[in-house]
Amino acid sequence: MRHFTNVRDIGDLQAAVAEALEIKRDRFAHQYLGRNKTLMMVFFNLSLRTRLSTQKAGMNLGMNVIVLDVNQGAWKLETERGVVMDGDKTEHLLEAIPVMGCYCDVIGVRAFAGLTDKKADYNEEVIGQFIRYGGRPVFSMEAATRHPLQSFADLITIEEYKKTERPKVVLTWAPHPKALPQAVPNSFAEWMNATDYDFVITHPEGYELAPEFVGNAHIEYDQRKAFEGADFIYAKNWSAYADPNYGLVINKDRAWTVDTEKMALTNNARFMHCLPVRRNMIVTDEVIEAPTSIVIPEAANREISAQVVIKRILEGL
Ligand code: CP
């Protein structure tokens, strides 16, 4: 594997899950693969899980790890070409990226959508420049439109907990006070559409995701109807994708919060969320603390998904 930015880069999903479960059984089986190799993790945005799990994955593979928080301790970076740099940005990404590439063998990048320029976001301009100018394999630690390490961990978790071969998996929008990117729901939809699960997306009108991510998913605007018979409830907030509301919060309706009454409509569904989660906005205390909640094992699988991806990149060097 050279780069990892979407589901297609991982290839056969069954093989990827099998490899993940093998690594989970012995996460130090490849501890010399990354010897004398350096992983650089570049963060344009905050993180808890991605930062820790990806660093741990690199360490499990014997790598040295450098973490750069671009907005804390580095020169402020210009990302657009052609700009007269007479403002507060000292360095251009076009020099910074190849320089970073000089100091490492693999680069992980987190660069969220700005949510003001849909074209720039959906062109994946920041991670795209890392791929073009870094001279190193690049993997996404959440980019503008996708969060594939999260989705891979979600898939591993569903495979571990499913009770039927073809579970009903429901992605539900839930309220949040701030505008969030569509990366997690886009990516989750992309990965679920690559399985043969019964996949349903439910959201209020106006929160339709980009058609290329929705794919063949069944859209149900009635959240309660969507929950009926579900085996997995995957909650997430996202801002509007459709124009003219791109990047905006158009509804904070707490009638969409996942609660015990709605979970009772399901087939004793497991509750999932990528975290961090706003309690009693996205999901009630009762649901996230219930034995059916698998948010912690889901987060634990972030180490495993990252390790499969970095291992495959190292094998291709
Ligand atoms: N789920 C996830 O990516 O968490 P962080 O934003 O804390 O990394």
Side-chain angles (χ1 to χ4, degrees):
M1 183 192 289
R2 178 70 182 168
H3 304 295
F4 176 73
T5 63
N6 64 60
V7 70
R8 289 180 298 281
D9 294 327
I10 202 80
D12 182 85
L13 286 188
Q14 280 186 342
V17 171
E19 189 174 337
L21 297 178
E22 198 180 309
I23 282 174
K24 199 164 178 176
R25 280 189 288 276
D26 179 5
R27 59 196 77 198
F28 301 108
H30 308 278
Q31 61 181 300
Y32 301 111
L33 184 65
R35 189 169 169 269
N36 294 336
K37 296 278 189 286
T38 299
L39 167 63
M40 182 177 289
M41 297 164 53
V42 183
F43 288 92
F44 288 82
N45 309 95
L46 302 174
S47 167
L48 187 152
R49 278 143 293 274
T50 304
R51 176 183 299 263
L52 298 177
S53 62
T54 311
Q55 182 160 358
K56 178 69 163 57
M59 286 158 51
N60 292 348
L61 292 162
M63 299 185 83
N64 302 309
V65 184
I66 301 172
V67 182
L68 178 67
D69 289 296
V70 170
N71 297 320
Q72 295 168 15
W75 299 113
K76 208 163 182 187
L77 293 177
E78 177 57 64
T79 56
E80 277 182 51
R81 193 168 172 277
V83 168
V84 177
M85 290 175 59
D86 60 353
D88 62 339
K89 293 179 179 165
T90 309
E91 180 156 23
H92 203 288
L93 211 52
L94 290 172
E95 285 77 54
I97 290 173
V99 168
M100 290 182 213
C102 295
Y103 307 140
C104 65
D105 301 279
V106 181
I107 307 177
V109 180
R110 165 162 285 201
F112 290 175
L115 295 181
T116 52
D117 183 343
K118 184 178 186 171
K119 191 160 168 271
D121 289 344
Y122 276 71
N123 279 342
E124 288 289 6
E125 289 190 351
V126 175
I127 197 165
Q129 291 191 70
F130 273 87
I131 289 170
R132 278 196 295 282
Y133 305 119
R136 302 290 177 201
V138 172
F139 66 91
S140 168
M141 299 195 299
E142 185 169 345
T145 64
R146 293 176 175 88
H147 193 358
L149 285 178
Q150 180 65 53
S151 308
F152 185 16
D154 297 334
L155 175 66
I156 296 164
T157 310
I158 291 172
E159 285 294 304
E160 287 180 314
Y161 283 87
K162 75 180 188 184
K163 291 195 199 116
T164 59
E165 204 45 48
R166 193 168 173 269
K168 179 176 177 182
V169 178
V170 178
L171 167 63
T172 181
W173 181 93
H176 192 280
K178 293 184 176 170
L180 298 184
Q182 298 102 33
V184 169
N186 281 347
S187 200
F188 186 71
E190 184 173 65
W191 285 66
M192 292 300 102
N193 280 322
T195 70
D196 65 353
Y197 300 161
D198 176 7
F199 179 48
V200 178
I201 305 176
T202 184
H203 55 73
E205 290 196 27
Y207 279 108
E208 290 76 12
L209 294 167
E212 64 265 32
F213 290 104
V214 172
N216 294 326
H218 174 67
I219 304 297
E220 174 55 69
Y221 290 104
D222 181 337
Q223 191 189 30
R224 283 186 171 74
K225 202 166 163 203
F227 274 42
E228 284 171 9
D231 299 296
F232 293 89
I233 297 296
Y234 193 99
K236 186 70 184 84
N237 173 269
W238 60 89
S239 59
Y241 167 77
D243 295 323
N245 292 325
Y246 178 71
L248 299 181
V249 176
I250 55 173
N251 177 349
K252 296 181 194 172
D253 186 357
R254 285 179 53 198
W256 280 76
T257 300
V258 179
D259 60 16
T260 46
E261 179 253 316
K262 285 179 213 157
M263 289 299 284
L265 301 169
T266 69
N267 182 27
N268 200 27
R270 299 288 188 168
F271 176 79
M272 300 178 74
H273 188 282
C274 63
L275 306 180
V277 69
R278 299 252 184 171
R279 282 178 175 227
N280 304 308
M281 285 293 293
I282 300 276
V283 59
T284 62
D285 290 325
E286 291 75 20
V287 170
I288 199 165
E289 291 171 6
T292 44
S293 168
I294 53 172
V295 294
I296 305 304
E298 180 185 359
N301 278 334
R302 289 294 308 276
E303 177 184 344
I304 306 303
S305 65
Q307 195 165 330
V308 172
V309 167
I310 299 168
K311 171 178 170 283
R312 287 186 177 193
I313 288 174
L314 287 171
E315 286 166 345
L317 285 180

